[in-house]
Amino acid sequence: MILEDVAAIRTGVVATRKKVSEKEPVIHKYKLLNLKCASAAGYLDLQYIEELPTTDPLKPEYFTQMGDILVRLSTPYTTIMITREDWCGYLIPSHFAIIRVDENKAAPEYVLWLLKRESTMQKILQNISGSGIFGTINSKFFNSLPIQDLPIQKQQIIGQMQILSEKEQELLYNLAFQKEMYNKALIEKIYDSAKKGD
């Protein structure tokens, strides 16, 4: 079995073609993901969202939906699954492949795990065009990616463990960031106090 047997795979919209020119009226404004939004830890970082003004409405298939799997098509080829309502409704640019799994055929979380495996990353690296940090992968590469056809219950167990692991990583990252900010503020406070001779 291959990925296209269980999922619809497409590339995001070419945002530069949809952006209004100075002479055109702005009728629609969309919240657009960019490469910075794809955290290496496997979640969306929405602080980097951009705005895309357009004249024409864009098709719904180009917007994030619950269960979507996004794969960054350039290094580091980050893979993210849309698992939260607040991650839905964002315009996906052509820097990402969009993988929508048919849940009657496979568990999306299982497909996510397969895409994040080291063996899959090796296949990606063997199929990039360009070189080094500028290498990109064509979204059509994912069509023929082999998938082990396990019973759906087993797929769900593997997939749920993957999702829980990612949530834990996100929490740990946020905790470390907050701790870093706290320590910096504390050190500054001590420094300011020392300068005053306290």
Side-chain angles (χ1 to χ4, degrees):
M1 190 164 76
I2 57 176
L3 187 54
E4 71 175 351
D5 293 334
V6 299
I9 305 162
R10 68 168 3 108
T11 305
V13 71
V14 182
T16 53
R17 291 185 190 161
K18 301 297 181 183
K19 190 172 184 177
V20 294
S21 68
E22 292 179 7
K23 298 174 184 176
E24 296 175 303
V26 175
I27 298 175
H28 303 277
K29 287 184 180 179
Y30 296 109
K31 292 180 179 178
L32 175 70
L33 298 177
N34 61 38
L35 294 176
K36 289 182 181 179
C37 294
S39 162
Y43 62 90
L44 283 184
D45 190 340
L46 300 179
Q47 69 175 319
Y48 298 110
I49 290 292
E50 297 177 4
E51 192 173 79
L52 179 72
T54 70
T55 298
D56 301 318
L58 301 178
K59 295 178 181 177
E61 57 257 38
Y62 290 117
F63 294 85
T64 52
Q65 301 171 19
M66 191 66 88
D68 281 359
I69 300 171
L70 308 182
V71 184
R72 181 175 161 159
L73 296 174
S74 60
T75 187
Y77 313 104
T78 308
T79 304
I80 296 169
M81 184 171 180
I82 305 302
T83 57
R84 295 170 21 183
E85 288 292 340
D86 62 321
W87 290 356
C88 295
Y90 292 94
L91 184 60
I92 306 163
S94 57
H95 309 300
F96 295 92
I98 309 164
I99 300 172
R100 292 199 171 116
V101 179
D102 182 340
E103 293 190 39
N104 295 313
K105 298 179 178 178
E109 300 87 354
Y110 173 65
V111 173
L112 174 72
W113 173 74
L114 287 169
L115 289 166
K116 290 193 166 206
R117 291 183 75 195
E118 189 62 35
S119 58
T120 303
M121 182 56 69
Q122 291 304 317
K123 287 176 185 163
I124 288 173
L125 294 174
Q126 290 164 10
N127 286 276
I128 59 173
S129 58
S131 60
I133 60 170
F134 301 109
T136 58
I137 188 85
N138 190 307
S139 64
K140 290 181 182 175
F141 158 81
F142 297 102
N143 291 352
S144 57
L145 196 65
I147 289 191
Q148 183 67 43
D149 187 14
L150 299 179
I152 201 82
Q153 295 86 354
K154 298 287 186 187
Q155 291 183 26
Q156 289 168 342
I157 290 168
I158 292 168
Q160 285 306 314
M161 290 183 72
Q162 176 68 34
I163 295 295
L164 286 172
S165 172
E166 291 187 359
K167 285 181 179 174
E168 182 181 14
Q169 291 302 312
E170 182 181 358
L171 288 170
L172 288 170
Y173 172 82
N174 288 334
L175 180 63
F177 179 76
Q178 294 297 327
K179 184 68 175 169
E180 181 185 3
M181 294 298 101
Y182 171 79
N183 287 338
K184 282 182 177 178
L186 182 62
I187 292 167
E188 286 293 330
K189 187 175 180 181
I190 293 169
Y191 175 70
D192 289 343
S193 177
K195 281 196 308 185
K196 294 174 185 174
D198 296 340

